[in-house]
């Protein structure tokens, strides 16, 4: 139970700063939300795509400290930038702060997904983590909306948000059972002997049976299961353990997980095109900037509600790999609907938020069941590396969506004659 609570809180604290930045994106660059999204995603893309080759060299304790430091520094930069009078300099400082907030999420997600996979109850840890990340979206946007209702400035919003990096440290160092704190990564502890491993396991108290295991121990003591009902989906069958992989082998192994990465990539590509593109160009009435800002925040809250519901309820049902591939296609249909609707306004009132909720359901479903299926069908010795590697797919999708989202927002603005877009489309009606 203590481990589940810790992963729930880690999921919240790891993602809430990311969601707060999404919520204040229009305060930073109103005419090009995608610019802020890019600053939020490019560092994450770099970290997650290269992470499988080096992240195992850092312990979970070190990674958590890096996360908290990056998030705190980023929020401070965004807050202090409000004292800069020059618009371009202020934007540059804010985008730097956004990028630092991105580092927190980029380091944390693959780390805690990997750590959850080597727990004695990995399904429980993954469910708690997914629920926490879903809650983070709701909390992040609700937090910003509440502070805005209190007429607090961007400066005060960011300073008050420093409570969340502090929560991350508390969740990891004081709530997560202390056995996990010293892991270098579970993978680089291979220098332990069999006797040392056996001694550590024998010293585990009954109250600690819910804790996460050191994967170096599992590499020695636990053989790969062969009675999985979806054995045909097993990611690997070689005897070579990840601890012996050189960087190129790690990268090749990550690419072998394409059947899980592509659905995650596609669903994030579609939903972030909605968020940074179509939803930022909808408002009732459309020509009112405050109305567009209100719809942007409210639509994102409804999206986060859908994410929370699907990630929290995912443990109560399962889907197979084929359904996992169908859901992103449905998400693309939703993207097409929102773009066409933003242009021609055939369904144009607040009931449109129901479709934002559905997009969150689709996104959360692919996230939870993709990682759940991956965890169930990967050899135990490679599970930690697999979970951390697949997480890069979402960031690749989001980064591409941030570029295309700028184009989508600009074209919709141009179509309706709205000034202020970062990118201007060439055609107009």
């Amino acid at each position: 139970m203590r481990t589940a609570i810790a992963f729930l809180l880690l999921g919240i604290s790891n993602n809430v700063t990311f969601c707060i930045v999404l919520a204040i994106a229009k305060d930073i660059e109103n005419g090009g939300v995608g610019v802020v999204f890019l600053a939020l995603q490019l560092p994450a893309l770099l970290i997650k795509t290269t992470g499988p080759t080096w992240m195992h060299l850092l312990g979970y304790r070190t990674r958590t400290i890096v996360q908290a430091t990056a998030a705190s520094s980023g929020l401070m930069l965004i807050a202090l930038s409000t004292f800069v009078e020059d618009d371009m300099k202020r934007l540059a400082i804010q985008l730097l702060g956004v990028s630092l907030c991105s580092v927190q999420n980029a380091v944390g997600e693959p780390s805690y997904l990997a750590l959850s996979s080597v727990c004695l109850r990995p399904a429980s840890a993954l469910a708690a983590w997914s629920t926490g990340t879903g809650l983070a979206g709701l909390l992040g946007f609700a937090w910003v909306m509440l502070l805005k209702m209190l007429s607090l400035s961007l400066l005060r919003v960011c300073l008050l948000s420093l409570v969340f990096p502090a929560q991350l440290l508390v969740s990891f160092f004081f709530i997560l059972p202390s056995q996990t704190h010293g892991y270098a990564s579970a993978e680089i502890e291979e220098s332990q002997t069999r006797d040392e491993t056996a001694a550590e396991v024998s010293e585990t108290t009954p109250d600690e049976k819910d804790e996460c295991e050191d994967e170096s121990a599992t590499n020695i003591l636990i053989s790969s299961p062969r009675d999985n009902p979806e054995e045909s989906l097993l990611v690997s069958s070689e005897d070579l353990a990840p601890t012996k992989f050189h960087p190129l082998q790690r990268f090749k192994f990550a690419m072998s997980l394409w059947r899980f990465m592509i659905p995650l990539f596609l669903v994030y590509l579609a939903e972030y095109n909605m968020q940074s593109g179509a939803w930022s160009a909808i408002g009732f009435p459309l020509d009112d900037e405050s109305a567009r800002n209100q719809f942007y925040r409210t639509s994102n809250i409804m999206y986060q509600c859908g994410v929370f519901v699907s990630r929290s309820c995912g443990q109560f049902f399962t889907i197979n790999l084929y359904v996992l591939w169908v859901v992103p296609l449905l998400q693309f249909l939703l993207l097409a609907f929102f773009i066409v609707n933003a242009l021609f306004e055939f369904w144009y009132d607040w009931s449109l938020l129901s479709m934002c909720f559905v997009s969150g359901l689709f996104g959360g479903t692919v996230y939870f069941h993709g990682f759940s299926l991956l965890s169930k069908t990967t050899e135990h010795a490679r599970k930690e590396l697999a979970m951390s590697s697949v997480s890069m797919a979402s960031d690749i999708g989001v980064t591409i969506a941030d570029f295309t989202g700028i184009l989508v927002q600009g074209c919709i603005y141009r179509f309706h004659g709205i000034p202020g877009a970062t990118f201007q489309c060439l055609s107009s009606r």
Side-chain angles (χ1 to χ4, degrees), residues 274-291:
M274 294 183 221
Q275 292 184 43
S276 64
W279 296 354
S280 62
I282 295 175
F284 316 119
L286 179 61
D287 57 359
D288 186 342
E289 180 179 326
S290 63

Side-chain angles (χ1 to χ4, degrees), residues 352-371:
L352 192 60
L353 293 174
S354 61
M355 302 309 294
C356 301
F357 177 80
V358 172
S359 70
L361 291 178
F362 288 159
T365 295
V366 172
Y367 182 93
F368 178 83
H369 289 285
F371 283 110

Side-chain angles (χ1 to χ4, degrees), residues 51-375:
T53 65
W54 58 265
M55 197 174 288
H56 64 289
L57 300 175
L58 299 178
Y60 289 110
R61 184 200 304 267
T62 303
R63 298 185 210 180
T64 301
I65 294 173
V66 168
Q67 285 180 265
T69 302
S72 301
S73 301
L75 289 170
M76 286 294 295
L77 277 177
I78 297 173
L80 296 177
S81 69
T82 57
F83 295 107
V84 178
E85 295 183 359
D86 184 87
D87 290 342
M88 291 304 296
K89 290 181 179 179
R90 180 172 62 253
L91 178 60
I93 294 172
Q94 289 174 336
L95 293 180
L96 176 59
V98 168
S99 297
L100 285 172
C101 291
S102 171
V103 171
Q104 181 212 11
N105 181 267
V107 172
E109 184 175 46
S111 298
Y112 300 129
L113 279 169
L115 187 58
S116 73
S117 72
V118 293
C119 285
L120 294 177
R121 295 181 178 87
S124 175
L126 178 60
W129 163 264
S130 298
T131 300
T133 56
L135 274 172
L138 286 175
L139 178 60
F141 278 88
W143 175 262
V144 172
M145 289 190 72
L146 174 62
L147 297 182
K148 290 287 185 180
M149 289 173 59
L150 297 174
S151 301
L152 296 185
S153 64
L154 182 62
L155 169 67
R156 288 180 169 82
V157 170
C158 291
L159 292 179
L160 288 173
S161 299
L162 289 171
V163 66
F164 296 112
Q167 179 201 334
L168 175 69
L169 295 174
V170 171
S171 301
F172 183 84
F173 287 103
F174 296 99
I175 301 178
L176 189 67
S178 58
Q179 281 179 300
T180 60
H181 295 172
Y183 293 173
S185 150
E187 294 183 20
I188 65 171
E189 299 290 340
E190 195 173 8
S191 60
Q192 291 181 318
T193 64
R194 291 174 181 264
D195 291 340
E196 290 173 328
T197 301
E200 288 178 3
V201 173
S202 66
E203 291 173 2
T204 302
T205 65
D207 292 336
E208 294 173 330
K209 291 301 183 182
D210 190 42
E211 319 310 342
C212 298
E213 302 173 279
D214 184 338
E215 189 175 325
S216 62
T218 62
N219 285 345
I220 297 171
L221 300 176
I222 302 177
S223 59
S224 301
R226 294 299 182 185
D227 56 352
N228 193 297
E230 299 192 13
E231 184 177 357
S232 61
L233 294 179
L234 283 173
V235 171
S236 61
S237 59
E238 301 173 13
D239 293 330
L240 186 61
T243 50
K244 301 176 182 178
F245 281 5
H246 56 67
L248 182 58
Q249 286 177 309
R250 285 177 169 271
F251 181 77
K252 287 182 177 179
F253 173 73
M255 293 302 99
S256 73
L257 306 173
W258 60 270
R259 59 174 66 89
F260 303 98
M261 298 176 74
I262 290 179
L264 195 63
F265 163 77
L266 291 175
V267 80
Y268 273 84
L269 176 63
E271 64 195 36
Y272 273 80
N273 262 298
M274 294 183 221
Q275 292 184 43
S276 64
W279 296 354
S280 62
I282 295 175
F284 316 119
L286 179 61
D287 57 359
D288 186 342
E289 180 179 326
S290 63
R292 295 196 302 271
N293 292 346
Q294 184 180 10
F295 181 83
Y296 171 78
R297 292 196 179 97
T298 309
S299 62
N300 274 276
I301 285 181
M302 291 303 297
Y303 162 81
Q304 295 296 344
C305 286
V307 170
F308 170 67
V309 170
S310 56
R311 292 190 184 186
S312 300
C313 299
Q315 59 187 309
F316 301 115
F317 67 96
T318 59
I319 63 175
N320 59 34
L321 191 63
Y322 306 105
V323 176
L324 191 70
W325 277 69
V326 170
V327 176
L329 301 181
L330 298 176
Q331 192 78 301
F332 266 93
L333 290 178
L334 266 182
L335 169 62
F337 160 76
F338 274 111
I339 292 176
V340 174
N341 189 43
L343 291 170
F344 300 105
E345 303 179 357
F346 54 86
W347 178 0
Y348 216 68
D349 55 45
W350 287 105
S351 64
L352 192 60
L353 293 174
S354 61
M355 302 309 294
C356 301
F357 177 80
V358 172
S359 70
L361 291 178
F362 288 159
T365 295
V366 172
Y367 182 93
F368 178 83
H369 289 285
F371 283 110
S372 179
L373 188 59
L374 175 64
S375 178

